[in-house]
C-alpha cells in the first residue's frame, strides 16, 4: 500500500513540475528560428506535401514574403483547404494547388509536364512530402512505399525540373530528411525491401537516401548557381506517425517536448531564404544551423551508387 502511495505521489510531483515548467520546456523544444527578413517578391516556390504540417507552414511563411507558392499535394481537396486557410491568415497570399502523387511516376511526369508548360521560373524547390513507418505496401510502380515516396518520387521530380531550376538561377533545392538518417543503411542487396521489411528501418533508409541525394546532387550542380541542402526539421507534432501505434503513443505522452509545425518549418524556411546561404551547398541543417551527418551519409561512393540505382529504377539518365 505504501509503495502505491509513493508511486502516486511521485507521479503527482512529476506532473506538477511539468505544468510549472511547461512554458520553458516548449521554448526549449521550439529550437532555432529563421531570423532572415528576406523578401521573395517575383520568386516562384514549389513545395511538395504542402497541405499539412511543416509543408503548410513553410508555404505560409514564403507566401508572406511575397513568393508565388505552388503547393503540390496528393489530395487536392485538402490542399485547397490549406490554401484557403493561408489566405485567411494573409489575404494577398499568391498560393495555388496542383495535384501530385509521389507514389505514382505517371502522376509525377504529368505534373512536371504541365508545370513546365505553364510556369516560366522556379527559384526554390522544397522536397518536403513524406510517409513514415507505414505497413509494407508498394507504389503504383512497385517500389516500397517509403523509399518510393520519400526518395524516388522526389528524385524523379527534381530530375524533371532541374533544367528550369538552372534557367532560373540563382535557385535553391531543400530536401527534408530526418535525424533518423543516423540509423539508416542503404541495403543495395534489397533496396525495395522485397526480401524482408521493417517499417522503422525502411524509414531510416529513405531518410539516409535523402541526405545522400542532396549531397550528390550538390556535387553535380557545382558552378550552376543552384544549391542543394538537406534539413532535419526536428520532432514535430503531426500526423506523420499515424502508422505507428508506439510512436503515436510516445508523441502523445511527450507532446510538450515536440515542436509545433511552425517551429518545425523554420529550418526549411532558413535554407530557402537566408542570405548567408546563397552559395552554400551540399550541407545538412537542423535548428537553422549546420548539423551532424552520420558517417554513412558522407560516403561519396555510396551516394553515387544510390544515384545510379535510383536512375536505373526510374529509367532516367541525368546529364553530367
Amino acid at each position: 500500500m505504501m509503495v502505491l502511495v509513493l508511486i502516486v505521489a511521485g507521479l503527482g510531483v512529476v506532473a506538477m513540475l511539468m505544468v510549472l515548467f511547461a512554458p520553458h520546456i516548449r521554448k526549449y523544444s521550439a529550437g532555432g528560428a529563421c531570423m532572415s527578413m528576406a523578401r521573395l517578391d517575383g520568386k516562384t516556390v514549389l513545395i511538395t506535401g504542402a497541405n499539412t504540417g511543416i509543408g503548410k507552414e513553410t508555404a505560409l511563411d514564403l507566401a508572406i514574403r511575397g513568393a508565388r507558392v505552388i503547393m503540390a499535394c496528393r489530395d487536392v481537396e485538402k490542399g485547397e483547404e490549406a490554401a484557403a486557410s493561408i489566405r485567411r491568415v494573409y489575404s494577398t497570399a499568391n498560393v495555388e494547388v496542383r495535384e501530385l502523387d509521389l507514389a505514382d511516376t505517371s502522376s509525377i511526369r504529368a505534373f512536371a509536364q504541365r508545370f513546365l508548360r505553364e510556369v516560366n521560373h522556379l527559384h526554390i524547390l522544397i522536397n518536403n512530402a513524406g510517409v513514415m513507418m507505414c505497413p509494407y505496401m508498394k507504389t503504383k510502380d512497385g517500389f516500397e512505399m517509403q523509399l518510393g515516396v520519400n526518395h524516388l518520387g522526389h528524385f524523379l521530380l527534381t530530375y524533371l525540373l532541374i533544367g528550369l531550376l538552372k534557367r532560373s538561377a540563382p535557385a535553391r533545392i531543400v530536401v527534408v530528411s530526418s535525424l533518423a538518417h543516423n540509423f539508416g543503411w542503404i541495403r543495395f542487396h534489397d533496396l525495395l525491401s522485397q526480401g524482408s521489411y521493417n517499417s522503422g528501418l525502411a524509414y531510416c533508409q529513405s531518410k539516409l537516401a535523402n541526405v545522400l541525394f542532396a549531397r550528390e546532387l550538390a556535387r553535380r550542380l557545382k558552378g550552376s548557381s543552384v544549391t542543394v541542402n538537406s534539413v532535419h526539421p526536428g520532432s514535430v507534432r503531426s500526423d506523420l506517425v499515424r502508422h505507428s501505434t508506439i510512436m503515436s503513443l510516445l508523441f502523445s505522452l511527450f507532446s510538450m517536448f515536440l515542436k509545433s509545425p511552425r517551429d518545425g518549418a523554420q529550418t526549411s524556411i532558413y535554407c530557402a531564404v537566408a542570405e548567408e546561404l546563397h552559395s552554400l551547398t551540399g550541407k545538412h541543417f537542423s535548428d537553422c544551423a549546420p548539423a551532424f551527418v552520420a558517417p554513412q551519409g558522407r560516403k561519396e561512393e555510396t551516394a553515387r551508387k544510390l544515384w545510379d540505382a535510383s536512375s536505373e529504377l526510374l529509367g532516367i539518365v541525368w546529364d553530367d
Side-chain angles (χ1 to χ4, degrees), residues 288-299:
C288 301
F292 174 79
V293 175
Q296 63 269 32
R298 300 195 297 266
K299 294 182 177 180

Side-chain angles (χ1 to χ4, degrees), residues 22-246:
H24 304 285
I25 293 172
R26 291 194 186 96
K27 184 177 179 180
Y28 175 79
S29 300
C34 178
M35 305 305 292
S36 172
M37 302 300 290
R39 295 288 303 173
L40 295 176
D41 302 284
K43 303 296 185 182
T44 300
V45 178
L46 172 61
I47 307 173
T48 66
N51 63 295
T52 187
I54 65 175
K56 178 182 172 184
E57 292 296 334
T58 303
L60 170 60
D61 184 282
L62 301 188
I64 290 173
R65 294 173 187 269
R68 174 192 183 187
V69 179
I70 298 170
M71 305 164 65
C73 308
R74 180 178 58 83
D75 190 323
V76 174
E77 184 178 347
K78 288 183 178 179
E80 292 292 357
E81 290 173 1
S85 70
I86 288 173
R87 294 188 195 100
R88 284 194 293 272
V89 174
Y90 187 65
S91 60
T92 59
N94 185 4
V95 292
E96 58 189 88
V97 177
R98 299 196 177 201
E99 184 176 5
L100 171 65
D101 184 356
L102 289 164
D104 182 357
T105 59
S106 63
S107 172
I108 299 169
R109 290 183 180 278
F111 170 89
Q113 186 177 35
R114 180 190 169 197
F115 192 94
L116 293 172
R117 188 172 62 246
E118 299 177 352
V119 181
N120 296 323
H121 298 92
L122 178 58
H123 302 96
I124 301 170
L125 168 62
I126 303 181
N127 290 334
N128 167 81
V131 292
M132 178 180 181
M133 297 179 69
C134 58
Y136 182 75
M137 57 183 78
K138 295 181 179 181
T139 67
K140 291 282 181 67
D141 302 274
F143 307 139
E144 183 275 313
M145 185 63 71
Q146 295 187 85
L147 190 75
V149 171
N150 299 351
H151 170 59
L152 293 172
H154 284 122
F155 189 93
L156 177 60
L157 178 66
T158 307
Y159 163 79
L160 294 169
L161 299 180
I162 198 65
L164 182 59
L165 284 157
K166 287 179 179 179
R167 293 192 297 274
S168 306
R172 303 187 188 193
I173 300 172
V174 180
V175 180
V176 178
S177 180
S178 168
L179 184 70
H181 88 271
N182 284 276
F183 309 103
W185 297 93
I186 304 300
R187 303 170 70 243
F188 287 108
H189 67 285
D190 190 19
L191 195 58
L192 301 180
S193 302
Q194 294 172 315
S196 63
Y197 180 73
N198 177 287
S199 62
L201 294 179
Y203 177 70
C204 294
Q205 175 181 241
S206 72
K207 293 292 100 178
L208 174 59
N210 290 153
V211 171
L212 291 167
F213 169 53
R215 292 172 71 89
E216 178 63 10
L217 182 58
R219 185 187 70 80
R220 290 170 176 254
L221 290 176
K222 279 189 176 173
S224 69
S225 295
V226 179
T227 62
V228 192
N229 293 296
S230 59
V231 305
H232 165 53
S235 297
V236 181
R237 290 193 296 274
S238 72
D239 63 354
L240 191 63
V241 296
R242 63 188 180 279
H243 294 296
S244 172
T245 302
I246 294 175

